[in-house]
């Protein structure tokens, strides 16, 4: 009988690497995994020693996967989903798919979520996920009323007194896109003072997200800003391209529009404006929610714009 090869890596190695990829720092990965920052650093070094390659490069903007790290992360994410699915099928096989209703607090998720749902249906065939878009404006209320089962949240708080749970998923960066001819285009970054004097082009944002943006950018100050809201991303981009304002967008939405050279992207001078994404769910479906969480960690976009 042939001996079965023993892997050098374990599940924790995969979890740590994926947390580092989604957060970009050992401190935020430690918070996501509920362990110490030093434990994350040791785990990363141990995984790199086992593989004999560097998984991440240490840059001033955080940890960035190396080419070998990109291959590792792709395989790690897939393996974790398959492992969780394997455990579920062995411990609690289901005769028919479990139906779960999912809503997103931020409309930007609908740019990538439909294709992600197709991937989820392939990797989790015993879970039937459907979008409940009608609850987008009040996802936490819908969870409490049991009108939905899962909510993909950015800034809405989840009350501790309810029967709801939440888990950290990933972060994206909010960036500022403007025409290459814009007066601020030559700046390395933008400041809160810059944002006070130019039109800000956005979509329809929930109240909690608007409050988060103001607090993160301006602290306790509440300046009068000139927001211009458009229903379509293409409209926001076109108005910015015409030099009529600064588009405030997620990095994964801005990225595809930057290749022609007529638009530039700027970051906040005080540091990356990182928006945390979480998955909230009703406590009674926690096992199924954990499987969806693992699958979303694989399929959701994790853009990191250069510059």
């Amino acid at each position: 009988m042939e001996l079965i090869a023993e892997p050098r890596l374990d599940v924790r190695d995969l979890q740590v690497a994926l947390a580092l990829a989604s957060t970009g720092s050992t401190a935020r990965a430690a918070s996501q995994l509920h362990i110490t920052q030093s434990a994350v650093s040791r785990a990363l070094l141990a995984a790199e020693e086992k593989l004999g390659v560097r998984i991440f490069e240490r840059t001033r903007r955080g940890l960035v996967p190396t080419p070998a790290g990109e291959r590792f992360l792709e395989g790690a994410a897939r393996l974790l989903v398959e492992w969780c699915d394997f455990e579920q099928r062995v411990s609690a096989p289901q005769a028919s798919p479990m139906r779960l209703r999912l809503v997103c607090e931020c409309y930007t998720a609908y740019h990538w979520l439909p294709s992600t749902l197709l991937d989820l249906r392939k990797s989790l065939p015993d879970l039937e996920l459907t979008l409940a878009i009608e609850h987008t404006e009040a996802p936490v209320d819908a969870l409490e009323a049991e009108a939905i089962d899962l909510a993909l949240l950015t800034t809405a708080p989840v009350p501790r007194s309810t029967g709801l749970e939440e888990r950290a998923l990933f972060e994206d960066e909010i960036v500022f896109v403007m025409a290459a001819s814009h007066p601020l285009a030559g700046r390395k970054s933008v400041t809160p003072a810059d944002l006070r004097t130019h039109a800000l082009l956005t979509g329809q944002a929930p109240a909690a997200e608007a409050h988060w943006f103001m607090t993160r950018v301006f602290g306790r100050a509440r300046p009068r800003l000139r927001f211009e809201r458009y229903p379509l991303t293409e409209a926001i981009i076109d108005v910015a391209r015409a030099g009529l304002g600064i588009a405030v967008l997620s990095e994964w939405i801005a990225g595809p529009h930057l290749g022609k050279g007529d638009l530039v992207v700027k970051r906040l001078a005080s540091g990356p404006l990182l928006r945390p994404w979480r998955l909230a769910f009703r406590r009674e479906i926690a096992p199924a929610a954990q499987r969806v969480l693992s699958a979303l960690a694989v399929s959701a976009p994790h853009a990191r714009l250069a510059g």
Side-chain angles (χ1 to χ4, degrees), residues 121-239:
R121 286 167 184 166
K122 294 175 183 177
S123 60
L124 304 174
D126 58 334
L127 294 180
E128 184 178 301
L129 288 166
T130 58
L131 288 177
I133 298 176
E134 65 273 19
H135 298 293
T136 298
E137 294 186 1
V140 176
D141 291 343
L143 274 175
E144 292 183 280
E146 299 187 6
I148 58 172
D149 306 292
L150 304 157
L152 195 57
L153 304 177
T154 51
T155 54
V158 176
R160 295 182 180 275
S161 59
T162 64
L164 304 179
E165 295 187 13
E166 60 178 326
R167 298 286 185 276
L169 184 56
F170 56 83
E171 293 176 323
D172 67 334
E173 183 179 354
I174 301 301
V175 295
F176 303 91
V177 179
M178 62 193 73
S181 58
H182 192 278
L184 298 178
R187 300 274 191 91
K188 183 178 180 181
S189 56
V190 296
T191 67
D194 295 329
L195 301 180
R196 291 176 179 173
T197 56
H198 295 271
L200 302 181
L201 316 174
T202 71
Q204 297 298 322
E209 186 157 319
H211 176 76
W212 170 84
F213 176 83
M214 294 297 294
T215 301
R216 285 293 310 275
V217 176
F218 298 100
R220 294 183 178 180
R222 288 295 179 267
R224 293 177 63 88
L225 303 179
R226 182 154 60 97
F227 283 104
E228 295 182 10
R229 304 189 185 279
Y230 297 86
L232 298 174
T233 299
E234 289 74 13
I236 296 173
I237 291 294
D238 285 342
V239 175

Side-chain angles (χ1 to χ4, degrees), residues 96-128:
S96 58
M98 181 179 182
R99 292 178 172 81
L100 298 175
R101 297 156 296 176
L102 170 68
V103 71
C104 304
E105 176 190 9
C106 181
Y107 280 101
T108 61
Y110 295 120
H111 285 262
W112 53 264
L113 194 60
S115 58
T116 296
L117 286 181
L118 290 177
D119 293 337
L120 292 181
R121 286 167 184 166
K122 294 175 183 177
S123 60
L124 304 174
D126 58 334
L127 294 180
E128 184 178 301

